[in-house]
Amino acid sequence: IDKTLADKKEILRAMHTCDYAKLREVSNFFYKTSGIYSRLCRYMAYLYRYDWMVTPYINAEDAKTEDKVLDKFYDVLLYLDNFEVKKFFGEVALKVIRYGCYYGYLIPGIKRMNVQELPANYCRSRFMVNNRPAVEFNMKFFDDCFRDTTQKIKMLNLFPKEFKKGYIMYKEGKLPPQFAGDTSGWYLLDPEFAFKFNINGEDFPAFISVIPAIIDLDEAKEFMSVIRVDSDDN
């Protein structure tokens, strides 16, 4: 185990320097090892019910064809049922609280909407497009995580086509004009499909500030246990 994950000074340093990757790692560690932290994250993530409702709007022309309107209405209901909206947003909320943010890519289907989750440490958002975060993805992800060429090709084929296009442009040095001279691998994804969720515009894990207090509590428990053992011995 990396001891810095439970080092109070290291955690405070990461908070001060906005080391998001380190803070996500710390949050994930305490989510798995601390019942207090885990319960707090799950409680807040599932506090909202994520109910949804569809309200049909009927034009005067469509009023004459009631069956047609009902067919479209049922199609919409079936589409959202297949998407499992409540389950999806509950899981997303938990990841936002646990990791500070959630990056995804919409993949529209005929019977349901699919979402490709993107690794947060290889994503960033620096500006807005139509009041939505514009998502950039670092194509180095495929080189860093998949060293085997065959496996890398399989993963590229599993991702939406835009990623394969961006990866090829990155390897060939043919980045879009807005990234001229940039060889770091960042590629701007289509704002129509790429999206990001976070809380209050911050990528900090929502309850990262309680972790130093949890560390203090654990140390106090250990100290009290030592005193109790000593008094029993005496």
Side-chain angles (χ1 to χ4, degrees):
I1 298 174
D2 183 357
K3 293 183 179 181
T4 62
L5 297 178
D7 186 329
K8 184 177 176 181
K9 290 183 179 179
E10 182 66 19
I11 294 171
L12 292 173
R13 181 206 63 78
M15 293 170 64
H16 178 68
T17 58
C18 297
D19 188 347
Y20 295 128
K22 186 67 175 182
L23 293 175
R24 292 186 192 111
E25 196 175 0
V26 169
S27 177
N28 188 48
F29 172 74
F30 274 85
Y31 181 83
K32 293 179 177 179
T33 59
S34 170
I36 296 173
Y37 188 73
S38 174
R39 184 174 181 180
L40 175 61
C41 291
R42 287 185 282 109
Y43 174 78
M44 294 303 297
Y46 294 105
L47 184 63
Y48 190 68
R49 293 172 56 86
Y50 306 106
D51 290 326
W52 54 275
M53 180 177 65
V54 176
T55 304
Y57 177 79
I58 303 175
N59 294 321
E61 297 177 357
D62 294 333
K64 300 177 183 178
T65 57
E66 183 177 349
D67 292 340
K68 183 179 180 181
V69 174
L70 289 175
D71 288 342
K72 291 182 179 179
F73 181 63
Y74 290 141
D75 287 342
V76 172
L77 292 178
L78 182 61
Y79 190 84
L80 293 173
D81 277 335
N82 290 337
F83 182 39
E84 298 180 316
V85 177
K86 296 181 68 172
K87 179 176 180 290
F88 171 74
F89 281 108
E91 292 174 350
V92 168
L94 181 57
K95 288 178 180 177
V96 169
I97 291 174
R98 188 172 171 182
Y99 300 113
C101 58
Y102 180 93
Y103 289 91
Y105 194 95
L106 295 175
I107 307 174
I110 298 175
K111 295 184 177 181
R112 61 168 293 167
M113 176 68 71
N114 298 294
V115 175
Q116 173 70 57
E117 183 178 356
L118 304 178
N121 288 340
Y122 287 86
C123 295
R124 70 182 183 186
S125 178
R126 300 178 297 166
F127 50 91
M128 307 287 285
V129 175
N130 296 326
N131 292 322
R132 293 177 54 190
V135 177
E136 297 170 81
F137 185 79
N138 196 322
M139 294 300 166
K140 285 184 177 179
F141 166 75
F142 297 103
D143 288 340
D144 293 345
C145 298
F146 308 101
R147 300 302 177 92
D148 181 72
T149 304
T150 303
Q151 188 181 19
K152 186 184 304 183
I153 293 173
K154 287 182 179 179
M155 290 305 302
L156 281 167
N157 290 332
L158 289 176
F159 274 70
K161 294 180 180 179
E162 184 178 9
F163 288 82
K164 189 173 184 179
K165 174 185 175 182
Y167 179 76
I168 293 173
M169 293 174 68
Y170 159 63
K171 297 301 287 185
E172 294 180 350
K174 299 178 180 178
L175 295 172
Q178 62 266 34
F179 299 107
D182 183 6
T183 59
S184 60
W186 291 105
Y187 178 82
L188 180 64
L189 299 174
D190 188 341
E192 184 178 351
F193 300 105
F195 66 91
K196 173 189 177 182
F197 292 131
N198 65 6
I199 298 177
N200 296 326
E202 295 283 349
D203 285 356
F204 277 86
F207 298 111
I208 194 71
S209 59
V210 309
I211 289 179
I214 292 175
I215 294 174
D216 289 341
L217 178 61
D218 290 340
E219 290 178 350
K221 287 180 179 179
E222 290 180 6
F223 180 69
M224 293 302 295
S225 298
V226 171
I227 293 178
R228 190 177 297 111
V229 170
D230 289 342
S231 49
D232 291 341
D233 292 340
N234 293 330

